[in-house]
Amino acid sequence: MSIQAASKVVTESQNLPPTDSRERVKQFVQKLQDDICAGLEQLDGKASFREDSWQREEGGGGRSRVIRDGRVFEQGGVNFSEVWGDTLPPAILVQRPEAAGHGFYATGTSMVLHPRNPYVPTVHLNYRYFEAGPVWWFGGGVDLTPYYPFTEDAVHFHQTIKQACDAHHSEYYPAFKRWCDEYFYLKHRQEARGIGGIFFDYQDGNSPLYFGPNPNSSAAEYSNKVGKVARNWEELFAFIQSCGNSFLPAYVPIVERRQNTEYGERERNFQLYRRGRYVEFNLVYDRGTIFGLQTNGRTESILMSLPPLVRWEYCYQAEPGTPEAKLTEVFLKPQDWINYQG
């Protein structure tokens, strides 16, 4: 064997996941589901999660937990899934063609919460892990979608996430925050879904920080400026754990501040109107929805992210100077929330 070939073998072996990788990630995302559900039930104080276990005919299954008609949460779900099969769906193979021809394994937890009070923001979380032959990667993120936003809430949410990222690499938050602003964007509306958070995908030992479809985006430019960031499986797994465990500290204080704010029909109607944007994004763009449907996942679990009530209004325009107008004019524009002075 030549020196070059031997070096390649060593490098590839260093980038392989540990033999117990699947079980370790599975146990973590299951515990994250348990911890989040326990924290949310305590926060709501009225409703409890209903659990439905399901099996996938092609391999795998999961447990879906839904909370409804609570004091705080009108509806929400926190899901765990673990699936495997002969081939990854086309939507993923476009980005990772080297995974073609290999069986795959995927596990993760995903969550969407739709609070009752319009002053409490909707929130989304997803952390996942894939293996396909020698190919593996982590992905996920968390983001906030307020209806009547507050600067202190946006700052707190982003600061908490940044602290979790900074514990592992100082470039994670600025790169993944930019990617989040790019990803949670409704192109047909030319409008962001919310105030962002972090988003990342296809993170392995060799990937750039940004591995998205737009080479000219702000996230891509930032990632190119940073250059290669050497990581291994253990370091990325530790990063995912920190991100997941930061959710309750990031979200619960916001709910506690806003849950008793008085509201009327105007605020409720605006909340239902803005939920329509959430539905549009999840049905048109969301990768988790697309992956679940393309792999024959449980439809009820995939679509648990949709709100129980929603409305659309033809050619709606918020009155100038109102809180409703401020949402789109200020909060749905990409902002440096860590240093925001508005």
Side-chain angles (χ1 to χ4, degrees):
M1 182 182 293
S2 67
I3 294 176
Q4 291 84 356
S7 176
K8 181 180 179 182
V9 170
V10 171
T11 300
E12 290 178 347
S13 66
Q14 289 174 338
N15 287 331
L16 290 176
T19 57
D20 60 349
S21 58
R22 298 180 180 187
E23 185 62 26
R24 288 173 62 189
V25 180
K26 172 186 174 180
Q27 289 180 1
F28 165 67
V29 293
Q30 284 182 322
K31 185 177 186 302
L32 182 61
Q33 182 193 35
D34 291 341
D35 292 345
I36 288 176
C37 288
L40 295 177
E41 285 183 347
Q42 181 178 5
L43 179 64
D44 188 272
K46 174 186 175 184
S48 299
F49 281 91
R50 161 186 167 176
E51 178 173 303
D52 293 309
S53 296
W54 55 274
Q55 298 295 317
R56 178 174 172 269
E57 184 176 344
E58 295 87 344
R63 57 188 195 191
S64 300
R65 294 179 181 170
V66 173
I67 189 169
R68 296 183 60 205
D69 300 325
R71 183 185 64 85
V72 173
F73 300 111
E74 188 170 9
Q75 184 167 298
V78 186
N79 290 346
F80 158 78
S81 65
E82 176 190 36
V83 299
W84 54 85
D86 295 331
T87 183
L88 284 163
I92 291 182
L93 291 176
V94 168
Q95 289 294 105
R96 297 301 297 259
E98 68 273 27
H102 296 287
F104 76 93
Y105 172 87
T107 189
T109 188
S110 60
M111 175 198 69
V112 177
L113 301 172
H114 293 289
R116 185 179 304 279
N117 191 315
Y119 287 95
V120 180
T122 284
V123 68
H124 159 258
L125 170 147
N126 175 275
Y127 291 108
R128 55 192 178 270
Y129 175 67
F130 285 81
E131 284 186 10
V135 183
W136 60 269
W137 67 87
F138 290 93
V142 60
D143 67 290
L144 199 68
T145 305
Y147 307 100
Y148 289 90
F150 298 85
T151 297
E152 65 176 312
D153 295 347
V155 172
H156 168 79
F157 188 77
H158 277 265
Q159 282 182 337
T160 306
I161 297 168
K162 183 177 185 295
Q163 289 171 0
C165 292
D166 287 351
H168 299 273
H169 201 289
S170 61
E171 300 294 358
Y172 279 166
Y173 173 79
F176 298 152
K177 190 269 185 190
R178 286 170 169 82
W179 197 348
C180 187
D181 289 339
E182 172 190 325
Y183 178 70
F184 291 105
Y185 185 80
L186 288 83
K187 301 178 184 66
H188 62 286
R189 297 284 191 182
Q190 296 186 325
E191 181 181 281
R193 189 174 81 173
I195 64 165
I198 57 170
F199 177 84
F200 54 91
D201 211 351
Y202 307 114
Q203 297 295 301
D204 60 24
N206 297 310
S207 68
L209 293 180
Y210 176 79
F211 206 112
N214 187 352
N216 300 314
S217 68
S218 172
E221 292 176 359
Y222 189 89
S223 176
N224 291 336
K225 180 179 177 181
V226 171
K228 181 176 174 59
V229 176
R231 283 122 352 123
N232 59 33
W233 190 95
E234 295 289 354
E235 290 168 331
L236 282 166
F237 182 41
F239 166 61
I240 290 287
Q241 292 176 78
S242 291
C243 289
N245 291 330
S246 72
F247 168 71
L248 289 174
Y251 185 61
V252 169
I254 296 173
V255 178
E256 290 175 338
R257 279 198 291 265
R258 310 302 168 194
Q259 61 185 343
N260 295 320
T261 304
E262 293 186 7
Y263 65 92
E265 184 178 0
R266 170 180 175 148
E267 291 84 359
R268 176 62 167 170
N269 282 336
F270 184 67
Q271 177 197 44
L272 298 184
Y273 164 71
R274 290 301 309 177
R275 281 180 176 177
R277 296 290 203 268
Y278 211 91
V279 171
E280 291 175 21
F281 182 89
N282 279 29
L283 294 182
V284 176
Y285 301 113
D286 186 76
R287 289 185 186 177
T289 302
I290 295 169
F291 175 80
L293 295 175
Q294 288 186 344
T295 55
N296 195 29
R298 181 174 183 258
T299 302
E300 289 296 317
S301 299
I302 297 166
L303 298 182
M304 66 87 195
S305 62
L306 302 181
L309 295 173
V310 65
R311 64 187 290 265
W312 279 267
E313 183 173 332
Y314 182 70
C315 291
Y316 171 84
Q317 291 288 330
E319 298 177 20
T322 63
E324 292 83 3
K326 188 176 181 180
L327 174 71
T328 52
E329 292 171 0
V330 177
F331 284 87
L332 298 188
K333 308 292 185 185
Q335 305 284 0
D336 177 7
W337 291 113
I338 301 299
N339 300 299
Y340 188 73
Q341 300 295 323

